[in-house]
Amino acid sequence: MNSEVMRFLLAGGTAALVNWLARIGLSAVMAFTPAVVLAYALGMLVGFCLYRGFVWRAQGQSWRRQLGPFLAVNLIGAVIVLGAALGLLALGEALFGPGRLVEALAHGTAIAIGALVNYLGHSRITFRTLTQHA
C-alpha cells in the first residue's frame, strides 16, 4: 500500500471519527437525519485541513482553488453517506429494533462506504495537481 493511501487512511479515519462521534452527540438533541448531515459537515472541515496538510501536502496551492472541488466531491459523498445510513438504519431497525447501537452501526458503516468515494474524488479531482507532482 502506498504512502498516500496510508496518509489518507489516517487523516480520513480521524475525520470519520469526528463525524461519527459528533453524530452521536448531536443525536441527543436532534433527529438522526439532521445529525448525520451536520456531523458530516464537521468531519468535512477536519478532513479538508488534514488532506491539504498531511495527505496531499498542499504546498503553494490556494485553498480557495481547492474548496469548490472539495465541496463537490463531499456533496456526492454526503448523499451516499446519508442514503447508506438511512438504508442501513431501516434494515437494522427491522432486524433488531430501534436503538442507539443500531444508529451508531448504520452511521459508521455508511461513513466507511463514503470514504472510498472521498478518496477517489479527492485524489483525482480536488488535489489532482498535487498528486501528479508528488
Side-chain angles (χ1 to χ4, degrees):
M1 197 174 301
N2 72 37
S3 61
E4 178 183 290
V5 172
M6 291 303 294
R7 289 191 311 268
F8 177 81
L9 289 173
L10 287 171
T14 301
L17 183 62
V18 167
N19 180 342
W20 190 70
L21 291 173
R23 201 275 320 146
I24 290 170
L26 289 166
S27 285
V29 296
M30 64 180 61
F32 184 76
T33 299
V36 168
V37 172
L38 186 53
Y40 190 90
L42 292 171
M44 267 180 38
L45 178 62
V46 170
F48 185 71
C49 295
L50 291 175
Y51 299 154
R52 275 185 52 80
F54 180 63
V55 179
W56 288 285
R57 295 185 179 101
Q59 299 168 5
Q61 297 291 323
S62 166
W63 67 269
R64 289 181 179 100
R65 183 181 148 272
Q66 295 167 332
L67 189 58
F70 181 83
L71 292 173
V73 167
N74 275 283
L75 178 61
I76 294 166
V79 169
I80 290 169
V81 168
L82 181 59
L86 292 174
L88 291 166
L89 179 64
L91 177 63
E93 287 179 342
L95 293 173
F96 306 108
R100 298 278 184 210
L101 181 58
V102 171
E103 288 181 355
L105 291 173
H107 184 227
T109 304
I111 290 170
I113 293 167
L116 176 61
V117 172
N118 281 335
Y119 176 75
L120 293 173
H122 293 316
S123 66
R124 291 186 168 92
I125 298 169
T126 308
F127 301 105
R128 76 173 175 263
T129 58
L130 299 176
T131 303
Q132 292 169 354
H133 294 99

